[in-house]
């Protein structure tokens, strides 16, 4: 028996929600695996919800349990007994309502700073009166005119949250400079005078080094931070291993929880010297939460020395992404490049604090030279603190623009992928003002014919004049990609997808992807535009006598296991039938009147956006039907999607 069949799809939004857990694990065992080419923390799913009950149903469906919730951004974390890839397969054919997204918890990395030893790379002549006994070694502060800036502001009463490894707040340069912090994985607060780091693990010294650059006190001893009047809030997102050999990332869920906690407890600056690949809706929600609550989010561009746009959180819209420079105002060879870079700051051989119990250090003291965008970032975070002292009512966008406008242009004239707008200058920044509040822009992605929302679409705002950063975001379950506090400018808006490997994606094959492009002039304020996906799927089939071909609504099939045909072709004689379904999500099925006496293979053809895909199914002995797809049908057929 031979057939030709074509099917079309009805697009269904996956939705879910959650209930409060009765308990949560303080610590999850950490196992890593690869998913969509990125490293993830295994046995964890992060779920954004609209209503909590759906999330509980999702957890129950997978045999899992909710171990963490962040109600401020409507997110829960679910511990599952299976690998994420297995859960992905189940969830791709399971429909919930009330869920905004489902995603893995990606592995992130400290921006790989390396203790540099005593050797320095500084300009031949740097002369200045000393502020501390190591002032002559602090070329970075001298380069950005810190002393002149201190006549205007020192960051008094501004809280800078450092999302990093634990911080040694008992270090002589940091004692009295900390406020209460938070360990989001264990859920405990950290004393403002504690040494929370592991004295046996030099791998967790990173947070202490970053903190010294920001706010080491100005007491004529040791080093001094650019914002020595500010306070440090420790948010622990990298923790030492039990064997004291290295540190590991706690997960996107705990990091988001820590960011939200910091904002809720008064942090005006969130400093992030870490990052990695993998677009996380959860991290973006936390970044957006910080921006909408008036906090500036500063993040390292990365040490990959490549031109990229996939590094998060630095590539999220509204983030101050920081590259690194040396004392000759050259971009460091390790500093990552990309359309998301805002500014650069000193990041080569930077002297700062390390834990007082460390077994290494220069001059026999708890200080060391490190290099990386990890060290550049706290210079910018500290500058934000200075500006907030002077302009306490400024918005995050206004602070960002002051820093960008006052930067010293280096390298290629104008904004560029390497240094952004240039190397920061603290004194010039404090002489600058900005009254522009920027733009908030939303792109809603829908099906042209069906009008339904399309999640997992990738949206790029490409600046036409190439005189500043471009921006990237992905659409959520409502089809909306949001860009908070971006530059008013002319953009080409490029919308593509949906992302085949996103759990929330409605498509199951690359042939179903499409694009929509348009141009926009953003002049400030908040606005929304609509992008339309326009695709089709044709099913061509020939029907034998007493046989039928069906297109079944995937929405209903996967929710109640009932056949809900939206197309049926039946004939008493052999005939050819063609049908085009331009918008929707369907399953293709072929049926005969009587049970077959021998296994019967049915062949058909689907044409997806003019691309031919042979499909087939197998009617087993004693059965009357088979599903049709490119893998031979089976009990779990793959639906077809058209927009």
């Amino acid at each position: 028996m031979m057939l030709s069949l074509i099917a079309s799809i009805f697009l269904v939004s996956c939705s879910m929600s959650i209930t409060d857990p009765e308990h949560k694990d303080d610590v999850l065992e950490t196992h890593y695996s690869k998913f969509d080419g990125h490293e993830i923390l295994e046995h964890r799913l992060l779920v954004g919800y609209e209503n909590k009950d759906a999330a509980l149903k999702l957890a129950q469906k997978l045999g899992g349990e909710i171990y963490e919730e962040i109600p401020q951004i409507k997110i829960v974390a679910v511990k599952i007994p299976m690998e994420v890839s297995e859960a992905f397969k189940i969830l791709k054919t399971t429909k919930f309502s009330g869920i905004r997204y489902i995603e893995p918890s990606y592995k992130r990395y400290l921006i790989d700073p390396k203790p540099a030893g005593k050797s320095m790379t500084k300009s031949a002549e740097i002369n200045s009166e000393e502020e501390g006994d190591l002032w002559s070694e602090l070329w970075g502060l001298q380069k950005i005119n810190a002393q002149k800036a201190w006549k205007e502001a020192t960051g008094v009463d501004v809280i800078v949250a450092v999302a990093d490894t634990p911080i040694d707040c008992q270090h002589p340069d940091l004692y009295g400079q900390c406020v209460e912090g938070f360990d989001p994985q264990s859920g405990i607060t950290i004393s403002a005078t504690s040494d929370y780091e592991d004295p046996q693990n030099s791998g967790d010294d990173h947070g202490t080094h970053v903190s010294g650059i920001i706010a080491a006190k100005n007491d004529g001893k040791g080093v001094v931070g650019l914002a020595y009047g500010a306070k440090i809030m420790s948010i622990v997102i990298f923790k030492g291993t039990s064997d004291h050999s290295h540190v590991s990332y706690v997960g996107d869920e705990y990091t988001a929880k820590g960011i939200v906690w910091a904002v809720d407890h008064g942090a005006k600056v969130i400093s992030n010297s870490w990052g990695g690949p993998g677009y996380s809706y959860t991290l973006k929600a936390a970044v957006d939460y910080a921006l909408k609550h008036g906090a500036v989010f500063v993040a390292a561009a990365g040490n990959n020395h490549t031109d990229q746009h996939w590094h998060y959180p630095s590539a999220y819209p509204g983030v101050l992404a920081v590259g690194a420079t040396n004392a000759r105002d050259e971009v460091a060879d390790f500093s990552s490049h990309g359309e998301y870079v805002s500014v650069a700051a000193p990041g080569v051989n930077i002297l700062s604090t390390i834990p007082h119990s460390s077994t290494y250090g220069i001059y026999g003291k708890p200080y060391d030279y490190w290099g990386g965008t990890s060290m550049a970032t706290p210079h910018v975070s500290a500058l934000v603190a200075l500006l907030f002292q002077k302009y306490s009512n400024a918005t995050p966008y206004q602070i960002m623009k002051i820093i960008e406008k006052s930067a010293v242009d280096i390298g290629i004239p104008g904004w560029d992928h390497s240094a952004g707008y240039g190397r920061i200058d603290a004194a010039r920044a404090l002489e600058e003002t900005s009254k522009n509040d920027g733009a908030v822009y939303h792109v809603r992605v829908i099906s042209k014919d069906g009008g339904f929302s399309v999640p997992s679409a990738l949206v790029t705002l490409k600046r036409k004049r190439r005189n500043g950063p471009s921006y990237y975001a992905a659409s959520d379950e409502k089809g909306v990609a949001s860009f908070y506090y971006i530059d008013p400018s002319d953009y080409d808006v490029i919308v593509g997808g949906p992302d085949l490997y996103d759990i929330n994606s409605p498509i199951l094959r690359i042939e179903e992807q499409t694009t929509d492009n348009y141009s926009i002039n953003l002049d400030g304020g908040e606005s929304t535009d609509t992008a339309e996906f326009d695709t089709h799927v044709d099913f061509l089939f020939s029907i034998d006598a007493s046989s039928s071909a069906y297109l079944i609504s995937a929405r209903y099939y996967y929710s109640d296991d009932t056949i809900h045909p939206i197309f049926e072709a039946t004939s008493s004689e052999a005939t050819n039938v063609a049908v085009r379904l331009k918008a929707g999500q369907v399953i293709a099925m072929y049926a005969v009147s009587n049970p077959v006496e021998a296994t019967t293979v049915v062949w058909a053809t689907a044409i997806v956006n003019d691309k031919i895909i042979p499909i087939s199914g197998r009617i087993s002995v004693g059965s009357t039907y088979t599903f049709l797809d490119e893998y031979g049908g089976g009990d779990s057929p793959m639906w077809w999607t058209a927009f």
Side-chain angles (χ1 to χ4, degrees):
M1 185 182 298
M2 299 293 293
L3 299 171
S4 282
L5 175 64
I6 263 194
S8 91
I9 313 184
F10 176 66
L11 182 121
V12 183
S13 312
C14 289
S15 313
M16 328 181 184
S17 57
I18 330 181
T19 57
D20 292 325
E22 295 180 358
H23 68 281
K24 74 179 185 72
D25 294 329
D26 287 335
V27 179
L28 290 176
E29 290 186 24
T30 302
H31 303 283
Y32 301 108
S33 69
K34 288 277 189 177
F35 183 82
D36 187 21
H38 304 311
E39 281 195 284
I40 63 169
L41 282 72
E42 260 302 357
H43 306 296
R44 307 186 192 187
L45 283 180
L46 311 185
V47 181
Y49 62 84
E50 288 294 342
N51 105 41
K52 288 186 177 181
D53 291 338
L56 180 59
K57 291 179 182 178
L58 182 149
Q60 292 172 339
K61 172 78 175 180
L62 298 174
E65 61 178 343
I66 294 171
Y67 64 88
E68 193 60 74
E69 180 177 3
I70 314 171
Q72 296 93 326
I73 52 178
K74 293 187 175 181
I75 289 164
V76 295
V78 180
K79 181 180 179 181
I80 56 175
M82 64 198 71
E83 292 187 350
V84 169
S85 58
E86 183 180 349
F88 173 88
K89 294 175 184 177
I90 296 172
L91 294 171
K92 283 295 269 186
T93 55
T94 304
K95 304 302 174 188
F96 295 90
S97 60
I99 297 299
R100 294 184 292 116
Y101 67 81
I102 310 165
E103 67 180 359
S105 182
Y106 292 99
K107 183 180 181 181
R108 312 286 173 185
Y109 307 86
L110 292 172
I111 308 296
D112 196 27
K114 299 296 184 184
K118 178 62 180 73
S119 62
M120 296 262 314
T121 306
K122 62 181 181 180
S123 54
E125 295 293 335
I126 296 181
N127 297 310
S128 177
E129 62 183 30
E130 293 191 353
E131 291 291 332
D133 62 354
L134 297 177
W135 170 255
S136 62
E137 301 293 299
L138 304 182
W139 73 265
L141 295 188
Q142 298 171 42
K143 175 66 74 173
I144 64 175
N145 291 316
Q147 287 178 313
K148 184 177 179 180
W150 290 335
K151 296 176 182 178
E152 290 286 330
T154 62
V156 173
D157 295 330
V158 178
I159 297 175
V160 181
V162 177
D164 211 294
T165 66
I167 298 168
D168 177 10
C169 289
Q170 293 181 0
H171 188 288
D173 289 8
L174 294 175
Y175 192 80
Q177 297 296 92
C178 298
V179 296
E180 190 173 69
F182 187 54
D183 179 341
Q185 186 181 52
S186 65
I188 66 172
T189 55
I190 301 169
S191 166
T193 58
S194 73
D195 176 6
Y196 197 65
E197 54 86 40
D198 179 0
Q200 298 182 60
N201 189 345
S202 62
D204 75 352
D205 295 357
H206 189 273
T208 302
H209 199 275
V210 165
S211 298
I213 297 169
I214 297 171
K217 58 191 175 186
N218 188 9
D219 60 359
K221 302 175 182 178
V223 298
V224 58
L226 175 58
Y228 61 79
K231 297 297 182 183
I232 295 293
M233 174 187 286
S234 175
I235 303 296
V236 179
I237 64 169
F238 288 88
K239 302 180 78 170
T241 54
S242 58
D243 63 359
H244 313 290
S245 63
H246 62 284
V247 294
S248 61
Y249 181 58
V250 297
D252 288 343
E253 67 276 32
Y254 292 120
T255 297
K257 180 182 176 182
I259 292 167
V260 169
W261 188 94
V263 172
D264 289 350
H265 287 77
K268 293 293 288 181
V269 193
I270 315 293
S271 188
N272 303 271
S273 292
W274 55 275
Y279 184 96
S280 168
Y281 295 91
T282 300
L283 277 187
K284 185 176 187 298
V287 171
D288 290 347
Y289 184 86
L291 295 173
K292 288 186 282 188
H293 285 78
V296 174
F297 201 94
V298 186
N303 289 357
N304 299 305
H305 59 78
T306 56
D307 204 312
Q308 60 192 30
H309 66 270
W310 46 260
H311 191 270
Y312 300 102
S314 56
Y316 288 126
V319 172
L320 251 172
V322 184
T325 58
N326 62 25
R328 294 183 293 272
D329 267 348
E330 301 165 336
V331 174
D333 58 3
F334 55 75
S335 187
S336 294
H337 316 279
E339 292 181 314
Y340 59 94
V341 176
S342 297
V343 291
V348 176
N349 290 324
I350 301 299
L351 182 64
S352 185
T353 49
I354 58 174
H356 69 280
S357 59
S358 296
T359 57
Y360 66 99
I362 56 103
Y363 310 121
K365 299 179 180 180
Y367 306 94
D368 202 15
Y369 297 96
W370 283 13
T373 55
S374 279
M375 283 59 256
T377 297
H379 283 89
V380 178
S381 299
L383 178 53
V384 173
L386 300 188
L387 290 168
F388 266 131
Q389 180 188 339
K390 184 171 182 179
Y391 305 113
S392 59
N393 294 320
T395 66
Y397 181 79
Q398 289 169 342
I399 296 291
M400 177 185 289
K401 292 318 293 181
I402 288 173
I403 292 173
E404 292 174 347
K405 287 165 61 178
S406 62
V408 177
D409 195 7
I410 61 174
I412 300 171
W415 177 89
D416 62 74
H417 287 209
S418 301
Y421 289 97
R423 188 259 302 150
I424 63 167
D425 187 300
R428 285 173 47 158
L430 286 160
E431 296 170 352
E432 188 65 71
T433 60
S434 176
K435 296 181 179 179
N436 191 330
D437 283 333
V440 175
Y441 186 55
H442 310 281
V443 178
R444 183 174 181 236
V445 188
I446 64 170
S447 159
K448 181 176 181 179
D449 288 320
F452 49 79
S453 301
V454 181
S456 308
L458 307 176
V459 183
T460 299
L461 270 56
K462 187 81 170 180
R463 201 180 297 240
K464 286 188 173 183
R465 292 193 291 270
R466 299 180 182 269
N467 60 345
S470 295
Y471 306 104
Y472 311 90
S475 63
D476 60 17
E477 195 61 30
K478 295 181 180 179
V480 177
S482 295
F483 301 81
Y484 288 96
Y485 305 115
I486 62 175
D487 289 339
S489 188
D490 295 326
Y491 296 94
D492 288 321
V493 182
I494 305 165
V495 186
D499 182 357
L500 178 62
Y501 299 104
D502 190 324
I503 293 178
N504 313 285
S505 176
I507 67 170
L508 297 177
R509 48 190 66 80
I510 198 169
E511 291 86 354
E512 294 165 350
Q513 292 180 327
T514 187
T515 62
D516 186 26
N517 305 323
Y518 61 92
S519 296
I520 185 68
N521 173 260
L522 295 181
D523 55 5
E526 186 167 5
S527 59
T528 302
D529 284 313
T530 299
E532 294 181 329
F533 278 2
D534 183 14
T535 65
H536 58 267
V537 181
D538 294 314
F539 291 91
L540 307 173
F541 54 89
S542 59
I543 306 172
D544 287 349
S546 301
S547 299
S548 302
Y550 298 93
L551 298 180
I552 302 166
S553 169
R555 179 184 187 92
Y556 294 108
Y557 177 80
Y558 281 109
S559 61
D560 62 13
D561 291 329
T562 302
I563 300 295
H564 293 271
I566 58 176
F567 171 81
E568 178 179 356
T570 302
S571 178
S572 59
E573 59 184 28
T575 185
N576 294 320
V577 178
V579 60
R580 167 171 289 189
L581 290 172
K582 296 186 67 177
Q585 199 167 42
V586 298
I587 298 166
M589 189 179 85
Y590 184 81
V592 295
S593 299
N594 300 306
V596 298
E597 296 179 358
T599 298
T600 304
V601 177
V602 179
W603 292 94
T605 302
I607 304 176
V608 182
N609 298 325
D610 301 322
K611 300 178 182 70
I612 296 174
I613 301 176
I615 59 177
S616 64
R618 184 184 300 267
I619 305 177
S620 301
V621 174
S623 181
T624 59
Y625 71 92
T626 182
F627 296 112
L628 301 167
D629 61 31
E630 61 267 57
Y631 300 105
D635 295 333
S636 299
M638 295 178 67
W639 65 62
W640 304 80
T641 302
F643 302 111

